[in-house]
């Protein structure tokens, strides 16, 4: 009986001991890393500033995590009421648009176009840009010797009117080449936005500490930290404004060329005879265009052609005169002897005395 009572008392003491250990570990105790540890630290720092100290402002800033780089989190797309889609499930109508609802997309395009009525086409293009709420970031016009003209534009159009602008340009001109690009900058955008928010919070905390600081060394350090934080805020704000400009307005480069005949894209003919006929017709058309280009070139540069003809004529005449002089000199040299005397004629006597007789 006594032995059983002793065992019971020993088990009771052990249970009480274990219960006490658990309360010390998980109760309102002092476990390392618990959120309760930060409150006393902040209270001590507050007391230090109230008493004129302020020596722990750097450690207090580190407690708030401002010295460590802020990790930007990409935006999460809210799933539907039924939860995320199962793998392999067909996307529902409008699901692609919903996935891009929070995405930051930058749209760009490049267009090469032709027109036979240059003035009307350029006027319609500029009117279209103004109608859609865009603006011309760059515009230039060039004229060539054959009378043709060309224009280059860099157009900024609201992102919502991007597809409509491309379609309308194909209606007011003959588009020969078109390329489009969509760049998702969501990661860079939201990372910059998160870092900006962190810097603003840091600025508020630094200003609060500066208002309570009384030590001159701490005041100088805090002002330097505030100046650096202001610079970071300005840089990040400028980056966000640049991203917003790219996202809100699409960028389109347009190259417009004035031509006499629009470029046509024909389907391949089914028979050899059709191909041969098209090639023959195309060759004649190309040769006719070449003759027209030559005639226009000569008409535009006729003054230089006349001047060039006069120079060539003068060179030919001078060359003929020089050749005639060289022939006369060579003929006279042949009539002389090697010693410098004239060659004796056939009827001239060898003895001079015979000539006097």
């Amino acid at each position: 009986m006594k032995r059983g009572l002793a065992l019971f008392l020993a088990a009771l003491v052990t249970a009480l001991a274990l219960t006490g250990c658990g309360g010390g570990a998980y109760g309102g105790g002092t476990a390392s890393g618990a959120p309760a540890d930060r409150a006393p630290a902040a209270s001590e720092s507050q007391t230090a500033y109230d008493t004129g100290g302020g020596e722990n402002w750097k450690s207090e800033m580190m407690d708030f995590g401002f010295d460590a780089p802020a990790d930007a989190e990409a935006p999460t797309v809210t799933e539907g009421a039924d939860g995320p889609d199962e793998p392999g499930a067909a996307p529902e109508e409008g699901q692609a648009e919903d996935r891009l609802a929070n995405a930051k997309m930058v749209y760009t395009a490049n267009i090469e176009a032709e027109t036979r009525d240059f003035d009307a086409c350029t006027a319609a293009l500029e009117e279209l840009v103004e109608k859609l709420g865009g603006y011309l970031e760059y515009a230039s016009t060039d004229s060539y010797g054959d009378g043709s003209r060309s224009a280059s534009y860099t157009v900024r159009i609201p992102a919502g009117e991007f597809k409509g602008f491309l379609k309308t340009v194909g209606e007011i001109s003959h588009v020969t080449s078109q390329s489009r690009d969509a760049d998702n900058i969501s990661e860079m955008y939201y990372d910059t936005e998160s870092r900006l928010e962190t810097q603003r919070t840091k600025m508020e905390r630094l200003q609060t500490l500066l208002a309570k600081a009384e030590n001159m060394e701490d005041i100088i350090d805090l002002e330097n930290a505030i100046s650096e934080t202001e610079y970071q805020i300005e840089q990040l704000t400028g980056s966000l404004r640049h991203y917003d400009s790219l996202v809100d307005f699409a960028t389109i480069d347009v190259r417009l060329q004035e031509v006499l005949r629009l470029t046509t894209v024909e389907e391949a003919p089914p028979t050899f005879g059709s191909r041969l006929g098209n090639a023959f017709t195309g060759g004649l058309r190309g040769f006719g265009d070449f003759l027209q280009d030559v005639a226009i070139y000569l008409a535009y540069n006729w003054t230089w052609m006349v001047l060039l003809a006069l120079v060539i004529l003068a060179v030919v005449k001078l060359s003929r005169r020089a050749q005639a002089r060289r022939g006369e000199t060579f003929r006279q040299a042949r009539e002389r002897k090697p010693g410098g005397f004239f060659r004796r004629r056939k009827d001239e006597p060898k003895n001079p005395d015979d000539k006097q007789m």
Side-chain angles (χ1 to χ4, degrees), residues 124-134 157-158 161 168:
L125 180 62
E126 296 177 3
E127 182 180 357
L128 175 63
V129 173
E130 183 177 359
K131 179 180 178 181
L132 296 180
I157 296 294
E161 304 291 344
T168 308

Side-chain angles (χ1 to χ4, degrees), residues 10-11 93 215 250 282 286 340:
E93 184 178 358
N215 189 349

Side-chain angles (χ1 to χ4, degrees), residues 93-113:
E93 184 178 358
Q95 187 175 2
E97 289 77 3
D98 294 337
R99 291 177 178 177
L100 297 178
N102 296 327
K104 300 296 181 179
M105 304 297 298
V106 177
Y107 297 102
T108 57
N110 192 303
I111 298 176
E112 299 281 343

Side-chain angles (χ1 to χ4, degrees), residues 3 17-19 51 67 77 93 102 125 210 214 218 238 300 308 320 333 340 344:
R3 184 177 181 183
L18 292 177
T19 304
T51 56
D67 290 341
V77 180
E93 184 178 358
N102 296 327
L125 180 62
L210 180 62
E214 296 181 359
D218 289 341
Y300 186 80
L308 181 61
R320 289 181 179 179
R344 185 176 65 252

Side-chain angles (χ1 to χ4, degrees), residues 113-117 173-176 257-265 285:
E114 298 176 342
T115 181
R116 300 180 62 181
D117 192 347
S173 65
H174 179 67
V175 177
T176 59
Q257 182 71 38
E258 184 181 20
V259 295
L260 296 176
R261 184 181 296 106
L262 300 177
T263 302
T264 58
V265 180
R285 186 183 300 111

Side-chain angles (χ1 to χ4, degrees), residues 126-143:
E126 296 177 3
E127 182 180 357
L128 175 63
V129 173
E130 183 177 359
K131 179 180 178 181
L132 296 180
Y135 62 94
L136 295 178
E137 189 174 67
Y138 171 81
S140 67
T141 304
D142 298 323
S143 298

Side-chain angles (χ1 to χ4, degrees), residues 34-181:
D37 291 342
R38 294 182 179 264
S43 176
E44 291 175 1
S45 177
Q46 182 72 22
T47 304
Y49 279 113
D50 293 339
T51 56
E55 297 178 355
N56 298 326
W57 73 271
K58 293 183 179 180
S59 62
E60 185 173 352
M61 293 298 296
M62 292 179 64
D63 290 340
F64 281 88
F66 287 120
D67 290 341
D71 294 331
E73 297 182 359
T76 57
V77 180
T78 304
E79 300 292 346
D82 297 336
D85 297 333
E86 297 181 359
E92 298 179 359
E93 184 178 358
Q95 187 175 2
E97 289 77 3
D98 294 337
R99 291 177 178 177
L100 297 178
N102 296 327
K104 300 296 181 179
M105 304 297 298
V106 177
Y107 297 102
T108 57
N110 192 303
I111 298 176
E112 299 281 343
E114 298 176 342
T115 181
R116 300 180 62 181
D117 192 347
F118 184 80
D119 295 330
C121 186
T122 53
L125 180 62
E126 296 177 3
E127 182 180 357
L128 175 63
V129 173
E130 183 177 359
K131 179 180 178 181
L132 296 180
Y135 62 94
L136 295 178
E137 189 174 67
Y138 171 81
S140 67
T141 304
D142 298 323
S143 298
Y144 303 100
D146 58 355
S148 62
R149 293 167 294 177
S150 66
S152 298
Y153 297 98
T154 299
V155 182
R156 301 300 303 277
I157 296 294
E161 304 291 344
F162 179 68
K163 295 182 179 179
F165 178 82
L166 297 181
K167 180 180 179 181
T168 308
V169 169
E171 296 175 356
I172 65 178
S173 65
H174 179 67
V175 177
T176 59
S177 175
Q178 181 184 114
S179 62
R180 295 185 292 177
D181 182 60

